[in-house]
PDB file of all heavy atoms in Angstrom:
ATOM      1  N   LEU T   1     112.518  88.995  98.891  1.00  0.00           N
ATOM      2  CA  LEU T   1     113.900  88.999  98.514  1.00  0.00           C
ATOM      3  C   LEU T   1     114.127  89.833  97.241  1.00  0.00           C
ATOM      4  O   LEU T   1     115.129  90.591  97.210  1.00  0.00           O
ATOM      5  CB  LEU T   1     114.456  87.599  98.290  1.00  0.00           C
ATOM      6  CG  LEU T   1     115.888  87.413  97.911  1.00  0.00           C
ATOM      7  CD1 LEU T   1     116.815  88.054  99.019  1.00  0.00           C
ATOM      8  CD2 LEU T   1     116.236  85.957  97.670  1.00  0.00           C
ATOM      9  N   GLY T   2     113.246  89.706  96.255  1.00  0.00           N
ATOM     10  CA  GLY T   2     113.371  90.497  95.088  1.00  0.00           C
ATOM     11  C   GLY T   2     113.228  91.981  95.331  1.00  0.00           C
ATOM     12  O   GLY T   2     113.943  92.778  94.735  1.00  0.00           O
ATOM     13  N   GLU T   3     112.345  92.309  96.271  1.00  0.00           N
ATOM     14  CA  GLU T   3     112.131  93.718  96.625  1.00  0.00           C
ATOM     15  C   GLU T   3     113.371  94.257  97.273  1.00  0.00           C
ATOM     16  O   GLU T   3     113.821  95.420  97.027  1.00  0.00           O
ATOM     17  CB  GLU T   3     110.896  93.895  97.501  1.00  0.00           C
ATOM     18  CG  GLU T   3     109.610  93.565  96.849  1.00  0.00           C
ATOM     19  CD  GLU T   3     108.433  93.614  97.795  1.00  0.00           C
ATOM     20  OE1 GLU T   3     108.620  94.007  98.967  1.00  0.00           O
ATOM     21  OE2 GLU T   3     107.291  93.366  97.379  1.00  0.00           O
ATOM     22  N   ARG T   4     113.936  93.496  98.145  1.00  0.00           N
ATOM     23  CA  ARG T   4     115.204  94.004  98.810  1.00  0.00           C
ATOM     24  C   ARG T   4     116.310  94.180  97.816  1.00  0.00           C
ATOM     25  O   ARG T   4     116.968  95.221  97.911  1.00  0.00           O
ATOM     26  CB  ARG T   4     115.604  92.947  99.931  1.00  0.00           C
ATOM     27  CG  ARG T   4     116.792  93.420 100.781  1.00  0.00           C
ATOM     28  CD  ARG T   4     117.215  92.349 101.766  1.00  0.00           C
ATOM     29  NE  ARG T   4     116.135  91.962 102.601  1.00  0.00           N
ATOM     30  CZ  ARG T   4     115.776  92.641 103.729  1.00  0.00           C
ATOM     31  NH1 ARG T   4     116.429  93.761 104.025  1.00  0.00           N
ATOM     32  NH2 ARG T   4     114.783  92.255 104.395  1.00  0.00           N
ATOM     33  N   THR T   5     116.466  93.188  96.948  1.00  0.00           N
ATOM     34  CA  THR T   5     117.546  93.336  95.994  1.00  0.00           C
ATOM     35  C   THR T   5     117.373  94.515  95.062  1.00  0.00           C
ATOM     36  O   THR T   5     118.266  95.316  94.773  1.00  0.00           O
ATOM     37  CB  THR T   5     117.654  92.095  95.124  1.00  0.00           C
ATOM     38  OG1 THR T   5     117.917  90.940  95.968  1.00  0.00           O
ATOM     39  CG2 THR T   5     118.737  92.175  94.113  1.00  0.00           C
ATOM     40  N   ALA T   6     116.073  94.749  94.663  1.00  0.00           N
ATOM     41  CA  ALA T   6     115.794  95.903  93.851  1.00  0.00           C
ATOM     42  C   ALA T   6     116.098  97.192  94.542  1.00  0.00           C
ATOM     43  O   ALA T   6     116.649  98.165  93.995  1.00  0.00           O
ATOM     44  CB  ALA T   6     114.351  95.898  93.349  1.00  0.00           C
ATOM     45  N   ARG T   7     115.752  97.304  95.827  1.00  0.00           N
ATOM     46  CA  ARG T   7     116.018  98.505  96.672  1.00  0.00           C
ATOM     47  C   ARG T   7     117.497  98.738  96.706  1.00  0.00           C
ATOM     48  O   ARG T   7     117.970  99.902  96.552  1.00  0.00           O
ATOM     49  CB  ARG T   7     115.398  98.331  98.048  1.00  0.00           C
ATOM     50  CG  ARG T   7     115.728  99.527  98.934  1.00  0.00           C
ATOM     51  CD  ARG T   7     115.001  99.411 100.288  1.00  0.00           C
ATOM     52  NE  ARG T   7     115.309  98.137 100.976  1.00  0.00           N
ATOM     53  CZ  ARG T   7     116.368  97.960 101.798  1.00  0.00           C
ATOM     54  NH1 ARG T   7     117.240  98.961 101.900  1.00  0.00           N
ATOM     55  NH2 ARG T   7     116.579  96.810 102.383  1.00  0.00           N
ATOM     56  N   LEU T   8     118.282  97.711  96.961  1.00  0.00           N
ATOM     57  CA  LEU T   8     119.687  97.852  97.141  1.00  0.00           C
ATOM     58  C   LEU T   8     120.355  98.232  95.789  1.00  0.00           C
ATOM     59  O   LEU T   8     121.302  99.066  95.760  1.00  0.00           O
ATOM     60  CB  LEU T   8     120.337  96.627  97.704  1.00  0.00           C
ATOM     61  CG  LEU T   8     119.849  96.285  99.125  1.00  0.00           C
ATOM     62  CD1 LEU T   8     120.593  95.013  99.625  1.00  0.00           C
ATOM     63  CD2 LEU T   8     120.066  97.371 100.063  1.00  0.00           C
ATOM     64  N   ARG T   9     119.866  97.608  94.668  1.00  0.00           N
ATOM     65  CA  ARG T   9     120.383  97.962  93.389  1.00  0.00           C
ATOM     66  C   ARG T   9     120.153  99.458  93.112  1.00  0.00           C
ATOM     67  O   ARG T   9     120.998 100.138  92.521  1.00  0.00           O
ATOM     68  CB  ARG T   9     119.650  97.156  92.311  1.00  0.00           C
ATOM     69  CG  ARG T   9     120.149  95.684  92.200  1.00  0.00           C
ATOM     70  CD  ARG T   9     119.427  95.020  91.027  1.00  0.00           C
ATOM     71  NE  ARG T   9     119.785  93.645  90.917  1.00  0.00           N
ATOM     72  CZ  ARG T   9     120.829  93.152  90.336  1.00  0.00           C
ATOM     73  NH1 ARG T   9     121.734  93.996  89.835  1.00  0.00           N
ATOM     74  NH2 ARG T   9     121.087  91.876  90.287  1.00  0.00           N
ATOM     75  N   ALA T  10     118.956  99.983  93.527  1.00  0.00           N
ATOM     76  CA  ALA T  10     118.674 101.342  93.280  1.00  0.00           C
ATOM     77  C   ALA T  10     119.639 102.265  94.057  1.00  0.00           C
ATOM     78  O   ALA T  10     120.076 103.312  93.569  1.00  0.00           O
ATOM     79  CB  ALA T  10     117.277 101.681  93.642  1.00  0.00           C
ATOM     80  N   LEU T  11     119.958 101.856  95.323  1.00  0.00           N
ATOM     81  CA  LEU T  11     120.900 102.684  96.089  1.00  0.00           C
ATOM     82  C   LEU T  11     122.289 102.612  95.472  1.00  0.00           C
ATOM     83  O   LEU T  11     122.952 103.681  95.492  1.00  0.00           O
ATOM     84  CB  LEU T  11     120.948 102.070  97.549  1.00  0.00           C
ATOM     85  CG  LEU T  11     119.719 102.171  98.433  1.00  0.00           C
ATOM     86  CD1 LEU T  11     119.939 101.500  99.712  1.00  0.00           C
ATOM     87  CD2 LEU T  11     119.388 103.673  98.635  1.00  0.00           C
ATOM     88  N   ILE T  12     122.714 101.534  94.970  1.00  0.00           N
ATOM     89  CA  ILE T  12     123.966 101.439  94.297  1.00  0.00           C
ATOM     90  C   ILE T  12     124.044 102.271  93.091  1.00  0.00           C
ATOM     91  O   ILE T  12     125.012 103.030  92.831  1.00  0.00           O
ATOM     92  CB  ILE T  12     124.314  99.957  93.878  1.00  0.00           C
ATOM     93  CG1 ILE T  12     124.510  99.088  95.213  1.00  0.00           C
ATOM     94  CG2 ILE T  12     125.539  99.830  92.989  1.00  0.00           C
ATOM     95  CD1 ILE T  12     124.514  97.652  94.974  1.00  0.00           C
ATOM     96  N   ALA T  13     122.966 102.216  92.282  1.00  0.00           N
ATOM     97  CA  ALA T  13     122.899 103.032  91.039  1.00  0.00           C
ATOM     98  C   ALA T  13     122.899 104.533  91.418  1.00  0.00           C
ATOM     99  O   ALA T  13     123.563 105.361  90.693  1.00  0.00           O
ATOM    100  CB  ALA T  13     121.647 102.718  90.262  1.00  0.00           C
ATOM    101  N   ASP T  14     122.132 104.943  92.426  1.00  0.00           N
ATOM    102  CA  ASP T  14     122.119 106.341  92.817  1.00  0.00           C
ATOM    103  C   ASP T  14     123.529 106.864  93.234  1.00  0.00           C
ATOM    104  O   ASP T  14     123.956 107.964  92.952  1.00  0.00           O
ATOM    105  CB  ASP T  14     121.182 106.533  93.967  1.00  0.00           C
ATOM    106  CG  ASP T  14     119.719 106.483  93.525  1.00  0.00           C
ATOM    107  OD1 ASP T  14     119.456 106.479  92.334  1.00  0.00           O
ATOM    108  OD2 ASP T  14     118.826 106.316  94.442  1.00  0.00           O
ATOM    109  N   ARG T  15     124.257 105.987  93.985  1.00  0.00           N
ATOM    110  CA  ARG T  15     125.612 106.424  94.451  1.00  0.00           C
ATOM    111  C   ARG T  15     126.532 106.532  93.233  1.00  0.00           C
ATOM    112  O   ARG T  15     127.291 107.468  93.166  1.00  0.00           O
ATOM    113  CB  ARG T  15     126.127 105.385  95.428  1.00  0.00           C
ATOM    114  CG  ARG T  15     127.535 105.677  95.908  1.00  0.00           C
ATOM    115  CD  ARG T  15     127.976 104.721  97.032  1.00  0.00           C
ATOM    116  NE  ARG T  15     127.228 105.024  98.270  1.00  0.00           N
ATOM    117  CZ  ARG T  15     127.652 105.824  99.208  1.00  0.00           C
ATOM    118  NH1 ARG T  15     128.786 106.509  99.069  1.00  0.00           N
ATOM    119  NH2 ARG T  15     126.913 106.060 100.255  1.00  0.00           N
ATOM    120  N   ALA T  16     126.463 105.578  92.304  1.00  0.00           N
ATOM    121  CA  ALA T  16     127.330 105.646  91.103  1.00  0.00           C
ATOM    122  C   ALA T  16     126.948 106.890  90.297  1.00  0.00           C
ATOM    123  O   ALA T  16     127.894 107.597  89.811  1.00  0.00           O
ATOM    124  CB  ALA T  16     127.046 104.386  90.275  1.00  0.00           C
ATOM    125  N   ASP T  17     125.647 107.164  90.133  1.00  0.00           N
ATOM    126  CA  ASP T  17     125.207 108.382  89.372  1.00  0.00           C
ATOM    127  C   ASP T  17     125.774 109.600  90.057  1.00  0.00           C
ATOM    128  O   ASP T  17     126.212 110.585  89.424  1.00  0.00           O
ATOM    129  CB  ASP T  17     123.719 108.430  89.277  1.00  0.00           C
ATOM    130  CG  ASP T  17     123.190 107.413  88.284  1.00  0.00           C
ATOM    131  OD1 ASP T  17     123.963 106.905  87.497  1.00  0.00           O
ATOM    132  OD2 ASP T  17     121.978 107.144  88.381  1.00  0.00           O
ATOM    133  N   GLY T  18     125.701 109.690  91.402  1.00  0.00           N
ATOM    134  CA  GLY T  18     126.114 110.838  92.148  1.00  0.00           C
ATOM    135  C   GLY T  18     127.600 111.070  92.012  1.00  0.00           C
ATOM    136  O   GLY T  18     128.116 112.236  92.124  1.00  0.00           O
ATOM    137  N   GLN T  19     128.354 110.020  91.825  1.00  0.00           N
ATOM    138  CA  GLN T  19     129.872 110.143  91.642  1.00  0.00           C
ATOM    139  C   GLN T  19     130.213 110.287  90.191  1.00  0.00           C
ATOM    140  O   GLN T  19     131.387 110.545  89.877  1.00  0.00           O
ATOM    141  CB  GLN T  19     130.559 108.917  92.199  1.00  0.00           C
ATOM    142  CG  GLN T  19     130.343 108.765  93.741  1.00  0.00           C
ATOM    143  CD  GLN T  19     130.989 107.491  94.299  1.00  0.00           C
ATOM    144  OE1 GLN T  19     131.657 106.756  93.534  1.00  0.00           O
ATOM    145  NE2 GLN T  19     130.823 107.255  95.609  1.00  0.00           N
ATOM    146  N   GLY T  20     129.253 110.077  89.265  1.00  0.00           N
ATOM    147  CA  GLY T  20     129.518 110.183  87.840  1.00  0.00           C
ATOM    148  C   GLY T  20     130.368 109.057  87.352  1.00  0.00           C
ATOM    149  O   GLY T  20     131.170 109.253  86.447  1.00  0.00           O
ATOM    150  N   VAL T  21     130.188 107.831  87.921  1.00  0.00           N
ATOM    151  CA  VAL T  21     130.987 106.723  87.552  1.00  0.00           C
ATOM    152  C   VAL T  21     130.067 105.497  87.272  1.00  0.00           C
ATOM    153  O   VAL T  21     128.946 105.500  87.747  1.00  0.00           O
ATOM    154  CB  VAL T  21     131.968 106.282  88.674  1.00  0.00           C
ATOM    155  CG1 VAL T  21     133.002 107.444  88.943  1.00  0.00           C
ATOM    156  CG2 VAL T  21     131.268 105.941  89.979  1.00  0.00           C
ATOM    157  N   PRO T  22     130.566 104.533  86.509  1.00  0.00           N
ATOM    158  CA  PRO T  22     129.711 103.250  86.341  1.00  0.00           C
ATOM    159  C   PRO T  22     129.592 102.489  87.703  1.00  0.00           C
ATOM    160  O   PRO T  22     130.417 102.698  88.590  1.00  0.00           O
ATOM    161  CB  PRO T  22     130.501 102.514  85.340  1.00  0.00           C
ATOM    162  CG  PRO T  22     131.576 103.410  84.790  1.00  0.00           C
ATOM    163  CD  PRO T  22     131.873 104.446  85.850  1.00  0.00           C
ATOM    164  N   VAL T  23     128.644 101.682  87.768  1.00  0.00           N
ATOM    165  CA  VAL T  23     128.513 100.793  88.882  1.00  0.00           C
ATOM    166  C   VAL T  23     129.730  99.809  88.941  1.00  0.00           C
ATOM    167  O   VAL T  23     130.083  99.261  87.860  1.00  0.00           O
ATOM    168  CB  VAL T  23     127.230  99.942  88.771  1.00  0.00           C
ATOM    169  CG1 VAL T  23     127.239  98.867  89.838  1.00  0.00           C
ATOM    170  CG2 VAL T  23     125.997 100.852  89.016  1.00  0.00           C
ATOM    171  N   SER T  24     130.392  99.679  90.045  1.00  0.00           N
ATOM    172  CA  SER T  24     131.566  98.888  90.184  1.00  0.00           C
ATOM    173  C   SER T  24     131.574  98.247  91.577  1.00  0.00           C
ATOM    174  O   SER T  24     130.715  98.523  92.399  1.00  0.00           O
ATOM    175  CB  SER T  24     132.823  99.771  90.024  1.00  0.00           C
ATOM    176  OG  SER T  24     132.898 100.641  91.156  1.00  0.00           O
TER     177      SER T  24
END
């Protein structure tokens, strides 16, 4: 479960970085 959450958090962070916005 921790690995899954970490993977999804990374995807969320990558999308936010790509848009130049904070995680929301």
Side-chain angles (χ1 to χ4, degrees):
L1 180 60
E3 293 177 2
R4 185 182 303 277
T5 300
R7 174 173 60 84
L8 298 181
R9 283 184 185 278
L11 292 175
I12 293 168
D14 287 346
R15 179 173 290 268
D17 287 344
Q19 297 177 3
V21 298
V23 171
S24 66

